[in-house]
Amino acid sequence: MAVVEAVGLTKRFGTITAVENVSFHVREGEVLALLGPNGAGKTTTVRCLAAILRPTSGYALVAGHDTRTAPRRVRHLVGLLTEFPGLYGRMKPLEYLDFFGAMQGLDAHTRRARAETLLKQFNLWHARRQRLGQFSKGMRQKMALVRALLHAPKVLFLDEPTAALDPEGAYQVRQAIADLRRRGHTILLCTHNLVEAETLADRLLIIHRGRILARGTIEELKAHVLGDPVFRVQLAQPLEGLPDLLGDVVSPLEWGPDWISYRTRTPTQTNPAVISRLQAAGGHIVTLVEEPRRLEDVYLRLMGAVP
Ligand code: ATP
């Protein structure tokens, strides 16, 4: 079931079209990454979905509620982590969460119980007596996540959650997001970090200049953008006539005296046939591996194809 649905979403600021005719959905319990360079329109999309901005045309639904006609309801259903969340440095974690929980209309008992559970879940409980101003950036970002989760939202929007963090802080926050994913939260994650998208997302939307360039799981995107996977066989010694030997089994892509690579859509059939043929010709196979294909290759290929 779709928790979030964007249909023909368009947002213009004067003459700038930040988001143009974007349609997609986020299913219950999935992490969808919105991946794109600076200025692609990620933040604008999220702000429309969170009922902070009104779309110029098109519409968005959160749990079936239209952001245009039921903005308050939508804001209640959404937990939002913005790019540069401000924390009140003089406050301590429980005091801070109590303050925001009250603003969200939670009663005192629920506020305290949720705050305690979340601080423990995010490994911040030990720091509950420190002021937020003394927290590291990674801890502050996790606090911002706790704040976004306090009212038990139906969906979380995370806008560049690790952009301003050092590697350790980014790692901590990614671990926290991975934990939320395991717990079945529905998350829309905006990022221009490919590792983050690759490790955290179930599906990706690649967005550029306000338009969706490609969408799918990482495997689907790799197959769609980069073609069928490539396998490489390494032999112990050179083998005479290597490419011709395999000519009727696969079409060789590249080869050397003791190695060969080929592309195949059906490795479960092709690879055993390649092995048999090479062994019958006296070849000793050292390895047969799929060549690694990274999300980076997909992303750069797509960005390179944009005029
Ligand atoms: P980043 O990764 O840098 O945050 P983004 O993908 O989130 O980028 P947006 O912030 O949505 O991109 O911006 C998309 C475009 O809309 C940019 O050209 C930006 O300058 C423009 N834009 C965003 N907000 C406004 C605004 N309030 N007024 C005018 N233009 C805006």
Side-chain angles (χ1 to χ4, degrees):
M1 199 189 84
V3 177
V4 175
E5 210 171 343
V7 181
L9 204 65
T10 300
K11 180 68 189 174
R12 292 195 189 90
F13 298 105
T15 54
I16 296 170
T17 304
V19 176
E20 191 169 1
N21 197 20
V22 160
S23 298
F24 66 92
H25 62 273
V26 190
R27 295 188 201 111
E28 177 130 39
E30 82 168 342
V31 180
L32 179 76
L34 210 53
L35 182 66
N38 292 126
K42 304 182 294 294
T43 301
T44 305
T45 303
V46 161
R47 297 181 84 200
C48 288
L49 298 178
I52 295 168
L53 286 175
R54 199 182 160 85
T56 309
S57 61
Y59 64 93
L61 306 176
V62 175
H65 299 279
D66 194 316
T67 61
R68 297 166 305 177
T69 51
R72 284 169 64 91
R73 182 89 195 104
V74 166
R75 277 181 221 128
H76 193 72
L77 289 164
V78 161
L80 180 62
L81 178 72
T82 55
E83 224 170 324
F84 303 105
L87 299 185
Y88 298 116
R90 296 178 65 84
M91 283 189 176
K92 293 178 182 173
L94 286 167
E95 192 187 351
Y96 176 78
L97 295 173
D98 189 68
F99 172 71
F100 275 97
M103 287 209 322
Q104 283 155 344
L106 301 177
D107 65 66
H109 175 75
T110 310
R111 299 202 289 270
R112 168 69 204 205
R114 292 237 180 101
E116 186 171 333
T117 305
L118 287 166
L119 288 175
K120 284 179 179 165
Q121 183 183 327
F122 287 91
N123 203 17
L124 290 168
W125 184 245
H126 65 94
R128 66 191 174 283
R129 296 198 180 87
Q130 283 178 36
R131 292 190 196 285
L132 297 175
Q134 296 167 337
F135 274 25
S136 71
K137 277 190 185 167
M139 288 164 81
R140 269 185 241 169
Q141 195 71 337
K142 286 202 294 181
M143 256 320 276
L145 255 182
V146 168
R147 179 186 139 184
L149 283 163
L150 195 62
H151 62 296
K154 185 100 183 114
V155 55
L156 258 186
F157 295 150
L158 308 179
D159 193 3
E160 304 284 358
T162 62
L165 304 179
D166 63 20
E168 198 198 335
Y171 176 77
Q172 280 185 28
V173 171
R174 275 188 207 124
Q175 291 294 102
I177 298 169
D179 184 47
L180 292 172
R181 180 189 180 191
R182 276 192 295 274
R183 289 167 187 263
H185 283 264
T186 306
I187 300 175
L188 178 68
L189 168 71
C190 294
T191 185
H192 44 64
N193 185 311
L194 297 162
V195 176
E196 196 159 295
E198 193 150 24
T199 51
L200 293 174
D202 297 303
R203 282 192 306 131
L204 291 112
L205 285 184
I206 300 183
I207 175 170
H208 185 46
R209 295 187 195 140
R211 293 173 184 225
I212 294 174
L213 290 185
R215 67 177 85 213
T217 63
I218 290 177
E219 287 314 314
E220 284 166 356
L221 285 171
K222 284 178 183 170
H224 174 65
V225 177
L226 303 175
D228 295 331
V230 173
F231 290 84
R232 182 185 160 112
V233 184
Q234 178 66 52
L235 298 164
Q237 289 102 27
L239 192 61
E240 192 74 26
L242 191 47
D244 298 333
L245 257 175
L246 294 178
D248 59 331
V249 183
V250 286
S251 5
L253 200 61
E254 289 179 84
W255 58 88
D258 59 355
W259 66 273
I260 188 159
S261 68
Y262 55 89
R263 216 180 258 288
T264 176
R265 184 168 300 179
T266 53
T268 48
Q269 282 125 51
T270 314
N271 291 352
V274 165
I275 292 169
S276 306
R277 181 64 60 89
L278 291 173
Q279 284 177 335
H284 294 287
I285 297 167
V286 180
T287 51
L288 189 161
V289 289
E290 182 175 343
E291 295 213 331
R293 303 192 301 168
R294 296 160 309 165
L295 180 58
E296 189 175 19
D297 302 323
V298 171
Y299 185 79
L300 294 177
R301 178 79 62 89
L302 280 169
M303 292 299 151
V306 178

